[in-house]
Amino acid sequence: ATIRTAYAYETCDLWNDYSRSVRLAPNVNSENHIVNGTSAENAQAICSTLWQGALHGLSQTALWIWDNDCDRANRSGYADDMLTLKPEHLWRLSCASKDLLRLSEEITAIRNAQPKIGILFSETARNYSDLHMSALMRAYQSAEYLGESIRILTDTVCDTTGLDVIIVPEAEYVSDDVYRTLSEFSGSVLIYGRNSLTKDADGNSRGAFLEAAENVQILDSAFSGLAIQTPAVSQLMSALRGILGEQEVSIKNAQTGEIPVGISYQHTVLNGKKLVSICNYTGNPIQLRVLGAESWRDRIQEESMGETVIAEPDIPLLLEEEEPIDTSLTPIPGTAAGEEQLLRII
């Protein structure tokens, strides 16, 4: 099967988070090409696209189908894309839709979790340099892989309420209002690109942004063309973890003990139980330790998982904290002394 790139998934997640950050309103995707030329055979992508869309604020979507499997030679871009002629795709779509309805309370709880990380997306910075967009995606990846809810801050909507850290990704030119908001922010500011915030919207110089301030951390950045090279995702994740500290729920690679890159997860507490959604964007199965509870139950498959789970590519997991099973053996009351006791598992 052709696995869609992680970048495509994260782009969808980013813009869904952007939409709900700038306005609390239904978020509708009226043209969703859930199956297209590069992912026509990846039925599992339907599960992750719909599930992750819902978690990141997508309220409604219209799935588009173009190709009727005829004249493929002249329509190669959408060849073999007729969703209604793909039994596995329809099965995956049906299952994903059912799970979204059945688990709507859990999904709503996760997507409404208070964001701790804000990421600046500035149209001003973007208009001056395309490097801002590459750096923005790197920042978003780093936060998403740490399991944190994310708020996108813009030139016009820059609400910092409840945030612990704001990431400024290669934003040399920003408006006076954004600069003032960042200057007054009491949490941590993580900047990469030493020229960030040094010019206003008209190109006038400001000088370095509070480089000596205790709550400001500045990382160097490097690009190859428009592609960001440093800081690496792992470097940003490490910097963010140093600022935020340990989480109540976290995941690690069961083999290496490291926080995995390419695993999107979010968590919250619902009805007194920890809840975590996991989606594997890497294209390969990975064994994970989910820290925060001794045992988890996958609410999608309704199976007990223990602390270690296998995350298959593009197949979401929704884990709910589960009381550990008491496997102690207790003698049945009334058995005679000296007789072999019958035992039962409670």
Side-chain angles (χ1 to χ4, degrees):
T2 302
I3 303 295
R4 286 176 31 165
T5 64
Y7 188 86
Y9 284 125
E10 292 151 349
T11 301
C12 294
D13 295 345
L14 167 62
W15 294 120
N16 283 324
D17 276 334
Y18 165 79
S19 297
R20 65 174 177 160
S21 295
V22 297
R23 185 178 181 185
L24 187 59
N27 177 19
V28 179
N29 183 348
S30 60
E31 187 171 339
N32 192 347
H33 295 272
I34 201 167
V35 177
N36 58 47
T38 60
S39 62
E41 297 306 317
N42 186 12
Q44 295 173 185
I46 291 178
C47 301
S48 49
T49 301
L50 294 180
W51 183 267
Q52 291 295 99
L55 282 182
H56 290 271
L58 185 64
S59 305
Q60 177 182 327
T61 188
L63 305 183
W64 280 49
I65 51 178
W66 286 74
D67 188 67
N68 60 3
D69 285 51
C70 298
D71 194 22
R72 296 184 186 181
N74 296 321
R75 299 175 65 186
S76 58
Y78 293 97
D80 198 26
D81 282 3
M82 180 58 80
L83 186 64
T84 55
L85 298 180
K86 297 177 178 293
E88 184 181 357
H89 287 66
L90 289 178
W91 174 65
R92 297 281 187 187
L93 174 59
S94 299
C95 290
S97 300
K98 177 198 68 176
D99 292 334
L100 289 172
L101 290 172
R102 180 172 61 89
L103 299 167
S104 59
E105 182 182 8
E106 288 80 0
I107 292 170
T108 301
I110 291 175
R111 77 191 240 171
N112 288 344
Q114 168 63 43
K116 294 182 180 179
I117 297 177
I119 302 176
L120 177 64
F121 166 48
S122 168
E123 288 285 2
T124 303
R126 181 186 187 181
N127 289 338
Y128 276 98
S129 174
D130 289 332
L131 298 181
H132 177 60
M133 296 306 297
S134 177
L136 172 68
M137 180 53 66
R138 177 63 53 88
Y140 187 85
Q141 289 173 319
S142 305
E144 185 172 23
Y145 297 160
L146 284 177
E148 297 291 355
S149 295
I150 301 164
R151 182 184 301 153
I152 305 301
L153 309 178
T154 71
D155 295 317
T156 54
V157 181
C158 201
D159 179 14
T160 64
T161 304
L163 298 178
D164 291 336
V165 59
I166 295 174
I167 307 175
V168 179
E170 199 68 35
E172 184 175 358
Y173 301 82
V174 297
S175 68
D176 290 337
D177 288 341
V178 169
Y179 187 86
R180 186 180 307 108
T181 298
L182 294 173
S183 300
E184 296 172 352
F185 181 60
S186 60
S188 297
V189 179
L190 179 61
I191 300 171
Y192 57 97
R194 291 192 176 273
N195 290 328
S196 290
L197 309 178
T198 57
K199 294 185 174 65
D200 65 18
D202 297 321
N204 300 313
S205 296
R206 286 198 183 99
F209 175 79
L210 301 177
E211 189 164 355
E214 292 184 359
N215 70 326
V216 176
Q217 182 177 349
I218 301 179
L219 303 176
D220 291 317
S221 62
F223 294 79
S224 176
L226 295 179
I228 186 169
Q229 301 297 307
T230 57
V233 171
S234 57
Q235 183 182 357
L236 277 175
M237 290 172 68
S238 178
L240 287 171
R241 180 52 54 232
I243 294 170
L244 296 171
E246 291 299 321
Q247 297 169 294
E248 190 173 11
V249 175
S250 61
I251 63 173
K252 292 188 177 181
N253 186 307
Q255 275 73 44
T256 66
E258 300 293 327
I259 300 174
V261 172
I263 306 294
S264 171
Y265 75 103
Q266 293 174 268
H267 60 92
T268 190
V269 175
L270 178 64
N271 299 326
K273 292 184 177 182
K274 297 171 185 174
L275 194 66
V276 54
S277 176
I278 300 172
C279 195
N280 179 359
Y281 290 166
T282 67
N284 298 299
I286 183 170
Q287 188 176 34
L288 302 171
R289 286 186 63 213
V290 185
L291 306 178
E294 294 182 21
S295 182
W296 299 94
R297 182 175 184 81
D298 181 14
R299 291 299 314 282
I300 296 176
Q301 300 299 327
E302 296 297 354
E303 296 177 352
S304 294
M305 309 292 286
E307 188 186 53
T308 303
V309 303
I310 300 294
E312 297 289 345
D314 304 322
I315 301 295
L317 296 167
L318 179 63
L319 305 182
E320 183 181 69
E321 183 180 9
E322 186 176 53
E323 292 295 330
I325 298 174
D326 184 0
T327 58
S328 61
L329 300 180
T330 304
I332 298 176
T335 54
E339 291 183 356
E340 181 178 356
Q341 302 222 344
L342 296 176
L343 304 177
R344 64 184 178 187
I345 298 177
I346 296 180

